[in-house]
Every structure is written in structure tokens, then in C-alpha cells.
Amino acid sequence: MRPWKHFSPRIPTPSGQALPRILRGEGNSFPTMTTTASITPSSENARPFGRRWLAMLAVALLAWASCLPAMAQGIAAKSARIAATPDGYRLDAQFDIQFTPGLEEAVNRGLPLHFVVEFELTKPRWYWFDERPVQLSQSYKITYMPLLRQYRLSSGSAYQNFTRIDEVIAALSRVRGWTVADRGALDRPGEYQAAIRMRLDTAQLPKPFQLNAVASRDWNLTSDWYRWSVAP
């Protein structure tokens, strides 16, 4: 068998010009390409960051979840104002009241709930304790009548019936036309300071529930004092 001969094709070139080495068959037939592969440890660096981010997210969610009961229940005073009328000074106020499931169940089982709205009017004095010309309270009671399947909101001898518990809570949250002072009660010059709040009267609960009210937050419904200035 004849040995293979190296075949070098003749490539025409312009006169006086030399071919490149690769085309003349000198040296390696093909250029050698060196590729350097580098692996950036981005995934390794991202793992600790991802774990820290998940930990911070878990802490934020736990803090948010722990605040949910506080936001979903209780009493908060939203607004209040006093208007002068021919019969005296009348008070209008608005509360935000959210019952806990335990309170709703207690009402539905026949336990009456007593609420107290407290109002006071003071006159600041720089030389002595503040003067308190007005200090009043008004009581409300919520009861459920299973035979009629109705809820009743009463204050003194006045009452009103409702078919749903959210309706009676909405009525309790509104104070309208409460005469808190006579026409001449605010005769001193200058501004007065008014304050109002609402609370669940736990002293009216049966004894076992009074003991439970001391340890349970479900029964400690008391709004902060809502304060504003009154200019007669």
C-alpha cells in the first residue's frame, strides 16, 4: 500500500505576498484556543443572605400576627364635640367598638354587658388644681332575648331592639345629643378641656366573670381618654 502523501492545496496569492503560516501548513493545522472556566460562587454567597432574609420576614410576620388581636378588639374614641343649644351644651361622640368572640358568645348565652361613658369638663388653673365644673357618666346595657331572637340596648328606661349583634354594637358606638352642662355652666372666660371615654363595667358582671376579667384581655375593654378644647 502506498503511503499517504501530505496534500497541500495551492492557493493563488497576489504576487509578492506570502501566505499566513496556518494556510501554508506550517506548525499546527488549527489554532489552539484556551478557554478558562471560572465559577463565581454567587449561589454560595446568596444562601446566607436568603436565610437572613427569611428570618427577618418570619420575625416581621410574627410581630404582625401578635398585633392582630389588639387591633381586632377593644374600644377607641374617634371623635367628639360639644355644641351650645338653648337647652344647654350637648355632646356628640363616636367610638369604634370591636367585640371579641368571647364577648359575643357571652351575650348570645344570655350574659348582659354593661358599658359606661364617662365625661368630664375641666378649667385649667395655674395657681391650683384644675377646676372640674362637669363630671358625668352614662350607663348602657346590652342583653339578648332568645325567645324574640333580638338584642336590646338600654339606657335607663329607654331601649331599642336589634336583630343582629353588629347593629347593637353600632348603636352603642354613637352618643348623640347628651346634655352635659347647663347654658350658664361655662361662664368663665377662656377655654375648657373636655375628655370622654367608654369602658366595659366589669363590676356589673357575675363574680366568676369578674375574676376572669382580671386575667383575660377579652374582658378589659376600656378606651383611652379622648381630649379636646372647648371655647364657650
Side-chain angles (χ1 to χ4, degrees), residues 172-215:
L172 176 64
S173 66
R174 298 187 297 266
V175 177
R176 296 292 183 267
W178 183 16
T179 303
V180 294
D182 296 334
R183 192 74 174 106
L186 310 182
D187 55 354
R188 303 283 298 276
E191 290 186 343
Y192 289 77
Q193 297 297 319
I196 189 173
R197 73 171 180 175
M198 180 186 290
R199 61 180 177 85
L200 174 66
D201 190 1
T202 56
Q204 299 291 336
L205 296 172
K207 292 299 181 181
F209 288 93
Q210 291 185 22
L211 297 177
N212 189 32
V214 176

Side-chain angles (χ1 to χ4, degrees), residues 122-199:
T122 61
K123 179 66 176 176
R125 293 185 295 190
W126 64 270
Y127 59 90
W128 197 244
F129 297 108
D130 293 345
E131 181 185 0
R132 297 181 184 274
V134 178
Q135 198 167 8
L136 300 173
S137 65
Q138 186 163 292
S139 300
Y140 298 88
K141 183 172 69 173
I142 294 178
T143 53
Y144 179 65
M145 299 172 290
L147 295 179
L148 300 177
R149 293 183 179 180
Q150 289 184 336
Y151 299 89
R152 172 169 293 184
L153 177 64
S154 58
S155 179
S157 59
Y159 65 88
Q160 188 176 359
N161 295 336
F162 303 89
T163 57
R164 300 198 312 268
I165 191 169
D166 58 336
E167 295 176 344
V168 69
I169 294 175
L172 176 64
S173 66
R174 298 187 297 266
V175 177
R176 296 292 183 267
W178 183 16
T179 303
V180 294
D182 296 334
R183 192 74 174 106
L186 310 182
D187 55 354
R188 303 283 298 276
E191 290 186 343
Y192 289 77
Q193 297 297 319
I196 189 173
R197 73 171 180 175
M198 180 186 290
R199 61 180 177 85

